Amino acid sequence: MDPEVIRELFAYGRWASARVFDAAARLTPAQFTATEGIQDAGRGSVHDTLRHLVGTQVGWVSMLSGSMAPDEGRARGRALQQVDFPDVAALRAAWEAAEAEAADLAGRVTAGDLDRVVSLTTASGALVDLTVGGLLLHVANHGTQHRSEAAAMLTAFGQSPGNLDLFFYLIERGAPAAR
């Protein structure tokens, strides 16, 4: 696996997430936390979906960067409580901190790091061995899923984040994709 591909996927995730957070900032507080009368696309509300997106990234990146033990990092990601993020600005600040740590990790990862095997216990209690590269691909893909869920809800509120396709990121960036 090529570290440049990981860096490109994480840069794309930052770009796409910024668009989603910009759109979320245009919601009213009631829309941000609404669970009734919206398309059931995510974790219940735009707020809950974005909080899950941030919390999961915090957990995985903390674990993979070595700043937290595997189980501790995953617990840290789950610890993001709704009450701690009452509005888009507070949640975006947490996302920006998580993105800074993710960018640092992606910026220094080597091919050897990507091949390193990590042993984890799943939520069901199974012990699994996965590579750091595979887990970083998971983090990037997980973000794509939840951004699309948030985008569907934002669009239902008349606040579409626009096109989030990687294709448009690459065009906007104006440079060839990683090889």
Side-chain angles (χ1 to χ4, degrees), residues 56-71:
T56 301
Q57 183 156 328
V58 165
W60 282 112
V61 170
S62 297
M63 184 202 69
L64 293 169
S65 70
S67 66
M68 307 285 280
D71 289 337

Side-chain angles (χ1 to χ4, degrees), residues 72-161:
E72 189 179 8
R74 290 177 58 212
R76 179 179 170 200
R78 287 190 208 109
L80 296 182
Q81 300 298 313
Q82 185 171 357
V83 69
D84 296 328
F85 303 96
D87 55 29
V88 177
L91 192 53
R92 187 173 195 150
W95 168 71
E96 288 172 351
E99 282 296 327
E101 189 174 1
D104 178 63
L105 174 61
R108 61 186 165 78
V109 73
T110 67
D113 294 331
L114 296 176
D115 291 335
R116 183 171 50 88
V117 174
V118 177
S119 295
L120 301 168
T121 304
T122 67
S124 66
L127 183 63
V128 297
D129 292 330
L130 299 167
T131 64
V132 169
L135 290 170
L136 287 171
L137 288 174
H138 161 67
V139 173
N141 188 62
H142 182 267
T144 299
Q145 175 185 340
H146 293 300
R147 280 190 301 271
S148 68
E149 292 169 347
M153 290 184 279
L154 289 163
T155 300
F157 285 124
Q159 299 300 333
S160 173

Side-chain angles (χ1 to χ4, degrees), residues 42-64:
R43 295 273 176 177
S45 69
V46 173
H47 183 202
D48 292 339
T49 301
L50 293 179
R51 185 170 46 88
H52 174 75
L53 171 78
V54 173
T56 301
Q57 183 156 328
V58 165
W60 282 112
V61 170
S62 297
M63 184 202 69
L64 293 169

